[in-house]
Amino acid sequence: MTGVLTDFHFIRAVWLLLLIPIAALWWLMRPKPKPRAQEMSGIAPHLAAALELGADNARRLYPIDVAMIAAILVTLAAAGPTWSRAPNPLVADTAPLVIALKVTDSMEEPDLAPSRLDRAKFKVTDLINARVGARTALIAYAGTPHRVAPLTEDANILRPLLEGLTPAVMPKQGDAAANALTLAETILNDSETPGAVLFVLDDLDPSQLSDFETATVPVFFLTMLPNGQSITQLDGLKGTTVVPFSSDDRDINRLQRHIQSAYTAALDDDDRLDWQDKGWLLAWPAAFLSLLWFRRGWVIRSLLLTFCIWSPSGPAYADGWRDWFLTPDQQGQIAMNQKRYAEATELFQDPYQEGYARLKAGQYPEAAAIFAELDTPEAAFSEGMARIRNREYRPAIASFEVALERRPDWPEAQHNLEVSKAILDYVETTREQSDTGEEAGIGADDTVFDNDAGRGEQTTIQAPKDGSQAMSADQWISTIDTDMQDFLRNRFLLENQEQKQ
């Protein structure tokens, strides 16, 4: 509450000057109480006193009072009261999160059946599913930390990698939680949106605590211990939030609230973001007060006549009343705010807004086609977002490059370009390591099949460019004949050797 009061201000404070003429008009138009001498002129004083019975019940509220209060509320709304920042919809809807999962022998304990590690994987999966549309990265750590997956909105990339994490794939046993925190901070520093770190663990080496006390990002802990047991080392750790494991969704819901609160607080300190206009909240009490005008004797006939003249002729329909007051784009924005994205796509007339609504509704090919017709850097950026979510990584790279051509030194576009290239490189590298394409050197756009006429001879053809779609994450993961644990073990060993060198 203190933070809200500290950040409260008006975006368009000049509108507050209208309060002066409103107050003057109120004072001039409000009926003034008449002196008793004028009211009872020509009547004897003792009779006047008798006639004043019930004078205390005189009207206290006049129509002008209601009108001026409504005018004050509308003026305050026009001034734009605010106390929080508006997130950038092109970067992220919610806070990016780095999940650091402890993968050690102690996490194999069966006191949380089937094991602490398995239950931790279930919780991480639930959290990823609850954060639809938000970017999540995954780190595994034991004696050394390793980045399993970069920040991504695609849960299909995270799930198979998460399943392959066991203590056997870790190159070194131990508890390097502090190093995992450093790696997580590095990942978040590359993001333009403030984020947080979640540690999923069953214990913490006391020697690692000092680094958490000086963490530069919000840190949360999900303790994987049965019966509400706590980790004593975390009890006195300041600036962090500890959430104990629960058999239901209470721990996930609590983490979601804390992560979003930290995200909102971080946005308030980001001067690059606009303040969120909260003036619409005052429109409701102003509309309620306007209903009092329909009391008997309060209706302004001229206003009703004006409304009847202004309203369109022809039959009236209950479902078309919004068209009297709101433009199609305004109705579409309301639908977007209420997360009715499919409905918003039918309401927007502005092509960019329609494309963004289709992007949020999951209609990625349609959204990309709309953005491709526009020549703004924002349109190219959004086209790249639609392409990458549709797993069209090469077109996504081209779109982000166009966005950078139209607006050089755009950090968000540069970041997404690097992420797209990293994903494409990861996909191609994985395919090359599989039995399907390892020897043939097949690229991401090639197809291999057995030729029956050639008695099993391998034949390579170029995939058609028109109408072709990239292979989904589940499809290319399923093409890997080697076990995921072997893949992670070899990758972590290589990273560990590079760090030593």
Side-chain angles (χ1 to χ4, degrees):
M1 187 65 182
T2 304
V4 172
L5 295 177
T6 303
D7 295 329
F8 180 83
H9 66 281
F10 290 95
I11 301 174
R12 300 172 293 274
V14 67
W15 283 90
L16 297 177
L17 295 176
L18 287 178
L19 295 177
I20 298 175
I22 290 175
L25 188 63
W26 194 354
W27 183 82
L28 291 174
M29 295 186 64
R30 196 176 194 278
K32 307 295 189 299
K34 297 179 180 180
R36 292 183 179 180
Q38 296 180 9
E39 295 176 355
M40 300 298 177
S41 59
I43 302 177
H46 64 284
L47 295 177
L51 293 175
E52 288 178 358
L53 292 175
D56 293 337
N57 295 327
R59 175 180 288 179
R60 301 286 180 88
L61 184 66
Y62 294 91
I64 189 62
D65 296 333
V66 177
M68 292 298 102
I69 293 174
I72 290 174
L73 292 175
V74 172
T75 301
L76 293 176
T82 182
W83 53 86
S84 62
R85 300 273 186 178
N88 185 350
L90 293 178
V91 178
D93 293 327
T94 53
L97 178 68
V98 179
I99 300 177
L101 176 62
K102 185 180 181 182
V103 186
T104 60
D105 292 335
S106 64
M107 290 287 286
E108 292 289 329
E109 291 292 331
D111 48 4
L112 289 179
S115 69
R116 296 178 183 178
L117 183 58
D118 288 330
R119 295 301 289 268
K121 292 178 181 179
F122 296 153
K123 287 297 181 180
V124 171
T125 302
D126 292 341
L127 183 59
I128 294 173
N129 294 335
R131 289 169 43 82
V132 175
R135 294 180 299 162
T136 306
L138 181 61
I139 291 175
Y141 77 93
T144 53
H146 299 275
R147 185 189 322 217
V148 180
L151 285 172
T152 178
E153 298 178 8
D154 194 343
N156 293 323
I157 293 178
L158 296 175
R159 292 192 189 102
L161 295 171
L162 180 65
E163 289 299 322
L165 291 176
T166 64
V169 307
M170 306 306 293
K172 182 180 179 181
Q173 292 300 310
D175 187 353
N179 293 335
L181 176 61
T182 302
L183 178 58
E185 290 176 337
T186 302
I187 296 174
L188 291 176
N189 289 337
D190 294 335
S191 172
E192 293 296 323
T193 307
V197 182
L198 170 64
F199 276 82
V200 183
L201 73 177
D202 61 348
D203 196 9
L204 181 65
D205 191 334
S207 63
Q208 309 288 310
L209 290 175
S210 59
D211 292 80
F212 287 92
E213 294 176 350
T214 59
T216 58
V217 296
V219 180
F220 305 94
F221 293 94
L222 177 60
T223 57
M224 302 304 300
L225 293 173
N227 303 322
Q229 299 178 23
S230 63
I231 301 175
T232 56
Q233 297 92 313
L234 301 178
D235 294 340
L237 193 59
K238 298 180 180 179
T240 60
T241 302
V242 181
V243 177
F245 166 84
S246 65
S247 57
D248 51 18
D249 292 336
R250 287 179 298 172
D251 48 3
I252 299 299
N253 295 334
R254 184 178 172 187
L255 282 171
Q256 280 280 77
R257 291 194 299 269
H258 285 299
I259 293 170
Q260 196 60 31
S261 297
Y263 174 58
T264 303
L267 288 181
D268 291 341
D269 297 331
D270 193 344
D271 295 334
R272 299 170 300 176
L273 300 176
D274 296 329
W275 288 97
Q276 195 168 22
D277 193 339
K278 301 290 187 178
W280 64 272
L281 294 173
L282 299 175
W284 293 107
F288 173 76
L289 289 175
S290 67
L291 295 177
L292 297 178
W293 281 98
F294 291 90
R295 293 183 57 186
R296 174 177 292 182
W298 283 31
V299 178
I300 301 179
R301 292 182 175 85
S302 59
L303 290 179
L304 292 178
L305 180 61
T306 302
F307 176 78
C308 293
I309 295 174
W310 170 80
S311 61
S313 59
Y317 299 96
D319 59 353
W321 65 269
R322 293 181 178 86
D323 296 334
W324 298 351
F325 306 101
L326 301 172
T327 66
D329 287 338
Q330 289 173 334
Q331 297 178 45
Q333 187 59 51
I334 292 174
M336 286 286 290
N337 295 339
Q338 297 175 353
K339 299 186 183 301
R340 295 182 284 114
Y341 304 124
E343 182 179 343
T345 61
E346 305 298 329
L347 293 171
F348 277 123
Q349 291 183 345
D350 180 82
Y352 180 81
Q353 296 289 351
E354 179 187 352
Y356 184 69
R358 292 189 182 278
L359 175 63
K360 298 295 291 183
Q363 302 174 12
Y364 304 133
E366 295 83 354
I370 293 175
F371 291 133
E373 298 295 328
L374 305 177
D375 57 358
T376 63
E378 292 80 9
F381 183 95
S382 300
E383 181 186 356
M385 295 292 293
R387 299 288 188 189
I388 198 171
R389 292 187 183 184
N390 202 40
R391 301 185 181 91
E392 302 176 44
Y393 302 119
R394 292 187 185 278
I397 292 173
S399 299
F400 290 128
E401 289 175 345
V402 171
L404 287 171
E405 290 176 1
R406 295 173 180 174
R407 183 188 295 177
D409 301 328
W410 190 0
E412 289 87 355
Q414 183 64 41
H415 172 75
N416 284 1
L417 175 62
E418 295 173 357
V419 171
S420 302
K421 290 181 177 179
I423 294 176
L424 179 62
D425 180 69
Y426 183 61
V427 171
E428 292 182 339
T429 301
T430 304
R431 287 174 176 169
E432 290 174 359
Q433 291 176 347
S434 66
D435 293 340
T436 303
E438 184 177 16
E439 296 179 358
I442 302 164
D445 293 330
D446 296 329
T447 303
V448 172
F449 59 91
D450 287 336
N451 186 356
D452 294 335
R455 297 183 180 179
E457 178 184 358
Q458 281 192 336
T459 305
T460 302
I461 64 172
Q462 189 69 21
K465 297 296 182 181
D466 298 334
S468 62
Q469 292 185 354
M471 186 180 295
S472 68
D474 290 336
Q475 289 173 331
W476 65 260
I477 282 293
S478 65
T479 63
I480 304 176
D481 294 335
T482 56
D483 187 83
M484 180 60 71
Q485 294 183 10
D486 294 335
F487 168 74
L488 291 174
R489 183 187 300 108
N490 294 332
R491 177 180 162 191
F492 292 167
L493 285 172
L494 180 61
E495 292 178 354
N496 200 33
Q497 292 175 359
E498 291 177 350
Q499 291 176 1
K500 290 180 179 179
Q501 293 176 355

